[in-house]
Amino acid sequence: MLTDLPNVLTLSRIVAIPVLVALVAMGRPLTDSAACLLFIAAAFTDYLDGKLARARHQYSDLGRMMDPIADKLLVGASLMVLAGTGRLAYAALYPAIVILAREILISGLREFLASTRISLPVTRLAKWKTGIQMTAIGFLLAGDSTGALLHLQWLRVGLVGAALLWIAAGLTVITGWDYLLAGLRHIGRTDGASKIAS
């Protein structure tokens, strides 16, 4: 199971995290660029592992468990190292907090509902949120130093990343609220069924 390619790709996202953190901590134009490229590669494996799992019918409990964990660790670690190194300019710390809080809330809700054998399907808007969020983090990891390295000093890479992160945070609130309401409806039905059975 560990050697299935989809699971290898999922686990590679976790392995990439300490390397990503080290690159950002160095704080140089080349390492910022490398961190951005590594994050893009890791984010692409999120799309690829699901596609391969469906194509090869390589579904496993390990993959279902580790895939969302790897995603949240990658996003969380990236946002935290950016905050820790003072790279969340333009008040981007606030949407980062919103995004992390939502991830914790929905993870707890999914874990509870899983115990009742109920799952929350991913919505189309949530997929857009994830895409914008990953793009924002990529820009923030690259930073203005990468723009200067590519002789694109006019491009405010950090500002673009911060703006996208604010948009992602707005979608995070909307999708998080939708998931919360859906979860509460399921909980209400479960409580109602329990009372009838008793």
mmCIF file of all heavy atoms in Angstrom, residues 79-123:
data_model
loop_
_atom_site.group_PDB
_atom_site.id
_atom_site.type_symbol
_atom_site.label_atom_id
_atom_site.label_comp_id
_atom_site.label_asym_id
_atom_site.label_seq_id
_atom_site.Cartn_x
_atom_site.Cartn_y
_atom_site.Cartn_z
ATOM 1 N N LEU A 79 2.129 28.845 5.511
ATOM 2 C CA LEU A 79 1.624 30.093 6.081
ATOM 3 C C LEU A 79 2.368 30.453 7.367
ATOM 4 O O LEU A 79 2.673 31.621 7.617
ATOM 5 C CB LEU A 79 0.124 29.984 6.341
ATOM 6 C CG LEU A 79 -0.767 29.948 5.089
ATOM 7 C CD1 LEU A 79 -2.214 29.701 5.477
ATOM 8 C CD2 LEU A 79 -0.645 31.234 4.282
ATOM 9 N N MET A 80 2.671 29.454 8.181
ATOM 10 C CA MET A 80 3.358 29.731 9.450
ATOM 11 C C MET A 80 4.790 30.202 9.236
ATOM 12 O O MET A 80 5.256 31.123 9.914
ATOM 13 C CB MET A 80 3.317 28.497 10.351
ATOM 14 C CG MET A 80 1.963 28.291 11.017
ATOM 15 S SD MET A 80 1.977 27.025 12.302
ATOM 16 C CE MET A 80 2.045 25.552 11.309
ATOM 17 N N VAL A 81 5.502 29.587 8.280
ATOM 18 C CA VAL A 81 6.883 30.025 8.055
ATOM 19 C C VAL A 81 6.901 31.414 7.409
ATOM 20 O O VAL A 81 7.789 32.233 7.689
ATOM 21 C CB VAL A 81 7.674 28.993 7.207
ATOM 22 C CG1 VAL A 81 7.260 29.003 5.741
ATOM 23 C CG2 VAL A 81 9.172 29.241 7.324
ATOM 24 N N LEU A 82 5.902 31.700 6.574
ATOM 25 C CA LEU A 82 5.806 33.056 6.007
ATOM 26 C C LEU A 82 5.535 34.079 7.109
ATOM 27 O O LEU A 82 6.124 35.163 7.122
ATOM 28 C CB LEU A 82 4.695 33.105 4.955
ATOM 29 C CG LEU A 82 5.010 32.462 3.601
ATOM 30 C CD1 LEU A 82 3.745 32.284 2.770
ATOM 31 C CD2 LEU A 82 6.040 33.286 2.831
ATOM 32 N N ALA A 83 4.654 33.726 8.034
ATOM 33 C CA ALA A 83 4.366 34.630 9.157
ATOM 34 C C ALA A 83 5.587 34.789 10.050
ATOM 35 O O ALA A 83 5.928 35.903 10.481
ATOM 36 C CB ALA A 83 3.182 34.103 9.957
ATOM 37 N N GLY A 84 6.258 33.676 10.321
ATOM 38 C CA GLY A 84 7.412 33.703 11.209
ATOM 39 C C GLY A 84 8.582 34.492 10.667
ATOM 40 O O GLY A 84 9.381 35.042 11.430
ATOM 41 N N THR A 85 8.691 34.560 9.343
ATOM 42 C CA THR A 85 9.785 35.309 8.724
ATOM 43 C C THR A 85 9.351 36.708 8.295
ATOM 44 O O THR A 85 10.095 37.404 7.591
ATOM 45 C CB THR A 85 10.334 34.543 7.497
ATOM 46 O OG1 THR A 85 9.244 34.241 6.605
ATOM 47 C CG2 THR A 85 11.011 33.247 7.915
ATOM 48 N N GLY A 86 8.148 37.113 8.712
ATOM 49 C CA GLY A 86 7.672 38.460 8.404
ATOM 50 C C GLY A 86 7.355 38.682 6.947
ATOM 51 O O GLY A 86 7.471 39.800 6.430
ATOM 52 N N ARG A 87 6.924 37.625 6.250
ATOM 53 C CA ARG A 87 6.668 37.721 4.814
ATOM 54 C C ARG A 87 5.184 37.867 4.483
ATOM 55 O O ARG A 87 4.819 37.822 3.307
ATOM 56 C CB ARG A 87 7.223 36.466 4.124
ATOM 57 C CG ARG A 87 8.723 36.284 4.260
ATOM 58 C CD ARG A 87 9.463 36.904 3.106
ATOM 59 N NE ARG A 87 9.062 36.303 1.855
ATOM 60 C CZ ARG A 87 9.565 35.161 1.381
ATOM 61 N NH1 ARG A 87 10.477 34.506 2.082
ATOM 62 N NH2 ARG A 87 9.163 34.691 0.230
ATOM 63 N N LEU A 88 4.332 38.017 5.480
ATOM 64 C CA LEU A 88 2.904 38.204 5.222
ATOM 65 C C LEU A 88 2.575 39.693 5.320
ATOM 66 O O LEU A 88 2.009 40.169 6.304
ATOM 67 C CB LEU A 88 2.049 37.385 6.206
ATOM 68 C CG LEU A 88 2.043 35.880 5.970
ATOM 69 C CD1 LEU A 88 1.208 35.171 7.025
ATOM 70 C CD2 LEU A 88 1.530 35.540 4.574
ATOM 71 N N ALA A 89 2.960 40.417 4.287
ATOM 72 C CA ALA A 89 2.723 41.866 4.258
ATOM 73 C C ALA A 89 1.296 42.158 3.820
ATOM 74 O O ALA A 89 0.526 41.256 3.512
ATOM 75 C CB ALA A 89 3.719 42.519 3.293
ATOM 76 N N TYR A 90 0.951 43.440 3.810
ATOM 77 C CA TYR A 90 -0.371 43.911 3.379
ATOM 78 C C TYR A 90 -1.486 43.257 4.198
ATOM 79 O O TYR A 90 -2.529 42.886 3.661
ATOM 80 C CB TYR A 90 -0.579 43.653 1.891
ATOM 81 C CG TYR A 90 0.540 44.158 1.023
ATOM 82 C CD1 TYR A 90 1.475 43.274 0.481
ATOM 83 C CD2 TYR A 90 0.697 45.519 0.764
ATOM 84 C CE1 TYR A 90 2.523 43.730 -0.301
ATOM 85 C CE2 TYR A 90 1.739 45.984 -0.021
ATOM 86 C CZ TYR A 90 2.651 45.082 -0.540
ATOM 87 O OH TYR A 90 3.705 45.539 -1.314
ATOM 88 N N ALA A 91 -1.238 43.098 5.496
ATOM 89 C CA ALA A 91 -2.223 42.533 6.438
ATOM 90 C C ALA A 91 -2.644 41.120 6.050
ATOM 91 O O ALA A 91 -3.734 40.671 6.419
ATOM 92 C CB ALA A 91 -3.441 43.450 6.543
ATOM 93 N N ALA A 92 -1.784 40.390 5.319
ATOM 94 C CA ALA A 92 -2.124 39.035 4.884
ATOM 95 C C ALA A 92 -2.129 38.033 6.030
ATOM 96 O O ALA A 92 -2.572 36.897 5.861
ATOM 97 C CB ALA A 92 -1.153 38.576 3.798
ATOM 98 N N LEU A 93 -1.638 38.457 7.212
ATOM 99 C CA LEU A 93 -1.685 37.561 8.370
ATOM 100 C C LEU A 93 -3.125 37.224 8.734
ATOM 101 O O LEU A 93 -3.427 36.100 9.136
ATOM 102 C CB LEU A 93 -0.983 38.220 9.571
ATOM 103 C CG LEU A 93 -1.007 37.430 10.880
ATOM 104 C CD1 LEU A 93 -0.277 36.102 10.731
ATOM 105 C CD2 LEU A 93 -0.396 38.254 12.010
ATOM 106 N N TYR A 94 -4.031 38.178 8.571
ATOM 107 C CA TYR A 94 -5.422 37.969 8.989
ATOM 108 C C TYR A 94 -6.142 36.930 8.127
ATOM 109 O O TYR A 94 -6.801 36.034 8.668
ATOM 110 C CB TYR A 94 -6.161 39.307 9.024
ATOM 111 C CG TYR A 94 -5.514 40.266 9.996
ATOM 112 C CD1 TYR A 94 -4.766 41.345 9.540
ATOM 113 C CD2 TYR A 94 -5.607 40.054 11.369
ATOM 114 C CE1 TYR A 94 -4.134 42.207 10.433
ATOM 115 C CE2 TYR A 94 -4.984 40.910 12.268
ATOM 116 C CZ TYR A 94 -4.251 41.982 11.794
ATOM 117 O OH TYR A 94 -3.621 42.823 12.683
ATOM 118 N N PRO A 95 -6.048 36.997 6.792
ATOM 119 C CA PRO A 95 -6.656 35.909 6.019
ATOM 120 C C PRO A 95 -5.992 34.563 6.279
ATOM 121 O O PRO A 95 -6.654 33.525 6.220
ATOM 122 C CB PRO A 95 -6.484 36.356 4.562
ATOM 123 C CG PRO A 95 -5.431 37.399 4.578
ATOM 124 C CD PRO A 95 -5.539 38.060 5.914
ATOM 125 N N ALA A 96 -4.685 34.587 6.591
ATOM 126 C CA ALA A 96 -3.998 33.331 6.908
ATOM 127 C C ALA A 96 -4.601 32.694 8.157
ATOM 128 O O ALA A 96 -4.810 31.477 8.213
ATOM 129 C CB ALA A 96 -2.501 33.587 7.101
ATOM 130 N N ILE A 97 -4.903 33.514 9.161
ATOM 131 C CA ILE A 97 -5.524 33.012 10.385
ATOM 132 C C ILE A 97 -6.901 32.439 10.087
ATOM 133 O O ILE A 97 -7.277 31.366 10.589
ATOM 134 C CB ILE A 97 -5.615 34.132 11.443
ATOM 135 C CG1 ILE A 97 -4.213 34.515 11.932
ATOM 136 C CG2 ILE A 97 -6.497 33.699 12.622
ATOM 137 C CD1 ILE A 97 -4.185 35.758 12.792
ATOM 138 N N VAL A 98 -7.668 33.147 9.252
ATOM 139 C CA VAL A 98 -9.008 32.669 8.875
ATOM 140 C C VAL A 98 -8.916 31.315 8.180
ATOM 141 O O VAL A 98 -9.680 30.385 8.484
ATOM 142 C CB VAL A 98 -9.711 33.701 7.955
ATOM 143 C CG1 VAL A 98 -10.990 33.109 7.354
ATOM 144 C CG2 VAL A 98 -10.031 34.969 8.727
ATOM 145 N N ILE A 99 -7.975 31.182 7.261
ATOM 146 C CA ILE A 99 -7.812 29.934 6.512
ATOM 147 C C ILE A 99 -7.444 28.784 7.438
ATOM 148 O O ILE A 99 -8.020 27.692 7.363
ATOM 149 C CB ILE A 99 -6.757 30.120 5.407
ATOM 150 C CG1 ILE A 99 -7.322 31.008 4.295
ATOM 151 C CG2 ILE A 99 -6.304 28.774 4.840
ATOM 152 C CD1 ILE A 99 -6.284 31.475 3.289
ATOM 153 N N LEU A 100 -6.493 29.014 8.342
ATOM 154 C CA LEU A 100 -6.076 27.949 9.260
ATOM 155 C C LEU A 100 -7.191 27.573 10.230
ATOM 156 O O LEU A 100 -7.393 26.387 10.522
ATOM 157 C CB LEU A 100 -4.822 28.385 10.029
ATOM 158 C CG LEU A 100 -3.539 28.491 9.200
ATOM 159 C CD1 LEU A 100 -2.398 29.031 10.057
ATOM 160 C CD2 LEU A 100 -3.159 27.129 8.624
ATOM 161 N N ALA A 101 -7.940 28.570 10.715
ATOM 162 C CA ALA A 101 -9.045 28.294 11.633
ATOM 163 C C ALA A 101 -10.121 27.463 10.942
ATOM 164 O O ALA A 101 -10.677 26.516 11.523
ATOM 165 C CB ALA A 101 -9.640 29.603 12.151
ATOM 166 N N ARG A 102 -10.412 27.788 9.695
ATOM 167 C CA ARG A 102 -11.416 27.033 8.945
ATOM 168 C C ARG A 102 -10.975 25.592 8.742
ATOM 169 O O ARG A 102 -11.774 24.657 8.858
ATOM 170 C CB ARG A 102 -11.655 27.728 7.607
ATOM 171 C CG ARG A 102 -12.736 27.097 6.741
ATOM 172 C CD ARG A 102 -12.155 26.172 5.711
ATOM 173 N NE ARG A 102 -13.120 25.835 4.665
ATOM 174 C CZ ARG A 102 -12.928 24.881 3.785
ATOM 175 N NH1 ARG A 102 -11.825 24.161 3.809
ATOM 176 N NH2 ARG A 102 -13.833 24.621 2.862
ATOM 177 N N GLU A 103 -9.683 25.388 8.429
ATOM 178 C CA GLU A 103 -9.189 24.033 8.197
ATOM 179 C C GLU A 103 -9.344 23.178 9.459
ATOM 180 O O GLU A 103 -9.729 22.008 9.384
ATOM 181 C CB GLU A 103 -7.720 24.073 7.761
ATOM 182 C CG GLU A 103 -7.472 24.737 6.426
ATOM 183 C CD GLU A 103 -8.159 24.034 5.273
ATOM 184 O OE1 GLU A 103 -8.544 22.856 5.415
ATOM 185 O OE2 GLU A 103 -8.335 24.666 4.216
ATOM 186 N N ILE A 104 -9.052 23.773 10.613
ATOM 187 C CA ILE A 104 -9.186 23.036 11.871
ATOM 188 C C ILE A 104 -10.655 22.715 12.145
ATOM 189 O O ILE A 104 -11.009 21.590 12.538
ATOM 190 C CB ILE A 104 -8.577 23.845 13.029
ATOM 191 C CG1 ILE A 104 -7.061 23.975 12.836
ATOM 192 C CG2 ILE A 104 -8.895 23.190 14.377
ATOM 193 C CD1 ILE A 104 -6.401 24.976 13.754
ATOM 194 N N LEU A 105 -11.523 23.692 11.926
ATOM 195 C CA LEU A 105 -12.954 23.498 12.162
ATOM 196 C C LEU A 105 -13.522 22.395 11.278
ATOM 197 O O LEU A 105 -14.200 21.471 11.772
ATOM 198 C CB LEU A 105 -13.705 24.805 11.889
ATOM 199 C CG LEU A 105 -15.246 24.729 11.904
ATOM 200 C CD1 LEU A 105 -15.738 24.392 13.308
ATOM 201 C CD2 LEU A 105 -15.858 26.024 11.415
ATOM 202 N N ILE A 106 -13.242 22.458 9.984
ATOM 203 C CA ILE A 106 -13.798 21.474 9.061
ATOM 204 C C ILE A 106 -13.184 20.096 9.291
ATOM 205 O O ILE A 106 -13.871 19.069 9.163
ATOM 206 C CB ILE A 106 -13.596 21.920 7.592
ATOM 207 C CG1 ILE A 106 -14.299 23.260 7.356
ATOM 208 C CG2 ILE A 106 -14.110 20.879 6.630
ATOM 209 C CD1 ILE A 106 -15.783 23.269 7.708
ATOM 210 N N SER A 107 -11.908 20.046 9.652
ATOM 211 C CA SER A 107 -11.280 18.754 9.954
ATOM 212 C C SER A 107 -11.973 18.090 11.136
ATOM 213 O O SER A 107 -12.250 16.879 11.119
ATOM 214 C CB SER A 107 -9.790 18.937 10.262
ATOM 215 O OG SER A 107 -9.104 19.375 9.121
ATOM 216 N N GLY A 108 -12.249 18.871 12.178
ATOM 217 C CA GLY A 108 -12.952 18.327 13.341
ATOM 218 C C GLY A 108 -14.348 17.860 12.987
ATOM 219 O O GLY A 108 -14.801 16.790 13.443
ATOM 220 N N LEU A 109 -15.025 18.647 12.161
ATOM 221 C CA LEU A 109 -16.390 18.294 11.740
ATOM 222 C C LEU A 109 -16.378 17.017 10.908
ATOM 223 O O LEU A 109 -17.204 16.115 11.119
ATOM 224 C CB LEU A 109 -16.988 19.445 10.935
ATOM 225 C CG LEU A 109 -18.437 19.269 10.449
ATOM 226 C CD1 LEU A 109 -19.379 19.102 11.637
ATOM 227 C CD2 LEU A 109 -18.853 20.462 9.597
ATOM 228 N N ARG A 110 -15.431 16.907 9.973
ATOM 229 C CA ARG A 110 -15.343 15.705 9.146
ATOM 230 C C ARG A 110 -15.034 14.476 9.994
ATOM 231 O O ARG A 110 -15.574 13.391 9.756
ATOM 232 C CB ARG A 110 -14.254 15.875 8.081
ATOM 233 C CG ARG A 110 -14.638 16.771 6.918
ATOM 234 C CD ARG A 110 -13.531 16.755 5.864
ATOM 235 N NE ARG A 110 -13.785 17.706 4.813
ATOM 236 C CZ ARG A 110 -14.585 17.502 3.777
ATOM 237 N NH1 ARG A 110 -15.228 16.357 3.680
ATOM 238 N NH2 ARG A 110 -14.749 18.429 2.848
ATOM 239 N N GLU A 111 -14.149 14.647 10.979
ATOM 240 C CA GLU A 111 -13.792 13.518 11.841
ATOM 241 C C GLU A 111 -15.001 13.032 12.631
ATOM 242 O O GLU A 111 -15.245 11.830 12.759
ATOM 243 C CB GLU A 111 -12.671 13.924 12.798
ATOM 244 C CG GLU A 111 -12.174 12.779 13.659
ATOM 245 C CD GLU A 111 -11.016 13.190 14.547
ATOM 246 O OE1 GLU A 111 -10.441 14.265 14.339
ATOM 247 O OE2 GLU A 111 -10.701 12.409 15.471
ATOM 248 N N PHE A 112 -15.783 13.973 13.138
ATOM 249 C CA PHE A 112 -16.987 13.595 13.880
ATOM 250 C C PHE A 112 -17.988 12.879 12.978
ATOM 251 O O PHE A 112 -18.543 11.843 13.338
ATOM 252 C CB PHE A 112 -17.646 14.822 14.508
ATOM 253 C CG PHE A 112 -18.986 14.509 15.125
ATOM 254 C CD1 PHE A 112 -19.075 13.887 16.358
ATOM 255 C CD2 PHE A 112 -20.162 14.820 14.443
ATOM 256 C CE1 PHE A 112 -20.306 13.580 16.915
ATOM 257 C CE2 PHE A 112 -21.392 14.517 14.986
ATOM 258 C CZ PHE A 112 -21.471 13.887 16.231
ATOM 259 N N LEU A 113 -18.227 13.448 11.792
ATOM 260 C CA LEU A 113 -19.205 12.854 10.883
ATOM 261 C C LEU A 113 -18.746 11.490 10.371
ATOM 262 O O LEU A 113 -19.569 10.616 10.103
ATOM 263 C CB LEU A 113 -19.464 13.797 9.709
ATOM 264 C CG LEU A 113 -20.219 15.083 10.058
ATOM 265 C CD1 LEU A 113 -20.320 15.989 8.840
ATOM 266 C CD2 LEU A 113 -21.613 14.774 10.603
ATOM 267 N N ALA A 114 -17.420 11.317 10.239
ATOM 268 C CA ALA A 114 -16.904 10.015 9.811
ATOM 269 C C ALA A 114 -17.267 8.924 10.816
ATOM 270 O O ALA A 114 -17.512 7.779 10.442
ATOM 271 C CB ALA A 114 -15.392 10.082 9.631
ATOM 272 N N SER A 115 -17.326 9.302 12.099
ATOM 273 C CA SER A 115 -17.696 8.318 13.132
ATOM 274 C C SER A 115 -19.152 7.892 13.003
ATOM 275 O O SER A 115 -19.551 6.841 13.497
ATOM 276 C CB SER A 115 -17.435 8.893 14.528
ATOM 277 O OG SER A 115 -18.318 9.975 14.800
ATOM 278 N N THR A 116 -19.958 8.716 12.332
ATOM 279 C CA THR A 116 -21.365 8.371 12.089
ATOM 280 C C THR A 116 -21.570 7.885 10.653
ATOM 281 O O THR A 116 -22.695 7.767 10.190
ATOM 282 C CB THR A 116 -22.274 9.591 12.348
ATOM 283 O OG1 THR A 116 -21.925 10.641 11.441
ATOM 284 C CG2 THR A 116 -22.125 10.090 13.767
ATOM 285 N N ARG A 117 -20.431 7.644 9.948
ATOM 286 C CA ARG A 117 -20.435 7.141 8.569
ATOM 287 C C ARG A 117 -21.108 8.107 7.598
ATOM 288 O O ARG A 117 -21.785 7.708 6.664
ATOM 289 C CB ARG A 117 -21.087 5.754 8.498
ATOM 290 C CG ARG A 117 -20.377 4.752 9.372
ATOM 291 C CD ARG A 117 -20.796 3.359 9.085
ATOM 292 N NE ARG A 117 -20.033 2.420 9.905
ATOM 293 C CZ ARG A 117 -20.107 1.098 9.787
ATOM 294 N NH1 ARG A 117 -20.906 0.569 8.898
ATOM 295 N NH2 ARG A 117 -19.393 0.318 10.565
ATOM 296 N N ILE A 118 -20.918 9.376 7.847
ATOM 297 C CA ILE A 118 -21.422 10.427 6.958
ATOM 298 C C ILE A 118 -20.220 11.207 6.443
ATOM 299 O O ILE A 118 -19.306 11.533 7.202
ATOM 300 C CB ILE A 118 -22.379 11.382 7.697
ATOM 301 C CG1 ILE A 118 -23.634 10.628 8.142
ATOM 302 C CG2 ILE A 118 -22.765 12.556 6.821
ATOM 303 C CD1 ILE A 118 -24.520 11.428 9.070
ATOM 304 N N SER A 119 -20.203 11.494 5.148
ATOM 305 C CA SER A 119 -19.103 12.264 4.580
ATOM 306 C C SER A 119 -19.631 13.574 4.007
ATOM 307 O O SER A 119 -20.788 13.660 3.589
ATOM 308 C CB SER A 119 -18.402 11.462 3.475
ATOM 309 O OG SER A 119 -19.298 11.204 2.415
ATOM 310 N N LEU A 120 -18.763 14.586 4.000
ATOM 311 C CA LEU A 120 -19.095 15.881 3.398
ATOM 312 C C LEU A 120 -18.411 15.974 2.042
ATOM 313 O O LEU A 120 -17.188 16.043 1.974
ATOM 314 C CB LEU A 120 -18.627 17.030 4.293
ATOM 315 C CG LEU A 120 -19.397 17.285 5.583
ATOM 316 C CD1 LEU A 120 -18.722 18.395 6.371
ATOM 317 C CD2 LEU A 120 -20.841 17.644 5.294
ATOM 318 N N PRO A 121 -19.158 15.960 0.946
ATOM 319 C CA PRO A 121 -18.526 16.050 -0.377
ATOM 320 C C PRO A 121 -17.919 17.429 -0.607
ATOM 321 O O PRO A 121 -18.416 18.435 -0.109
ATOM 322 C CB PRO A 121 -19.685 15.779 -1.344
ATOM 323 C CG PRO A 121 -20.912 16.160 -0.576
ATOM 324 C CD PRO A 121 -20.622 15.848 0.864
ATOM 325 N N VAL A 122 -16.824 17.444 -1.369
ATOM 326 C CA VAL A 122 -16.160 18.707 -1.697
ATOM 327 C C VAL A 122 -16.974 19.427 -2.772
ATOM 328 O O VAL A 122 -17.324 18.845 -3.792
ATOM 329 C CB VAL A 122 -14.726 18.450 -2.202
ATOM 330 C CG1 VAL A 122 -14.056 19.762 -2.601
ATOM 331 C CG2 VAL A 122 -13.909 17.742 -1.135
ATOM 332 N N THR A 123 -17.286 20.690 -2.531
ATOM 333 C CA THR A 123 -18.078 21.464 -3.488
ATOM 334 C C THR A 123 -17.179 22.100 -4.548
ATOM 335 O O THR A 123 -15.966 22.216 -4.376
ATOM 336 C CB THR A 123 -18.869 22.573 -2.773
ATOM 337 O OG1 THR A 123 -17.928 23.507 -2.204
ATOM 338 C CG2 THR A 123 -19.740 21.992 -1.661
#
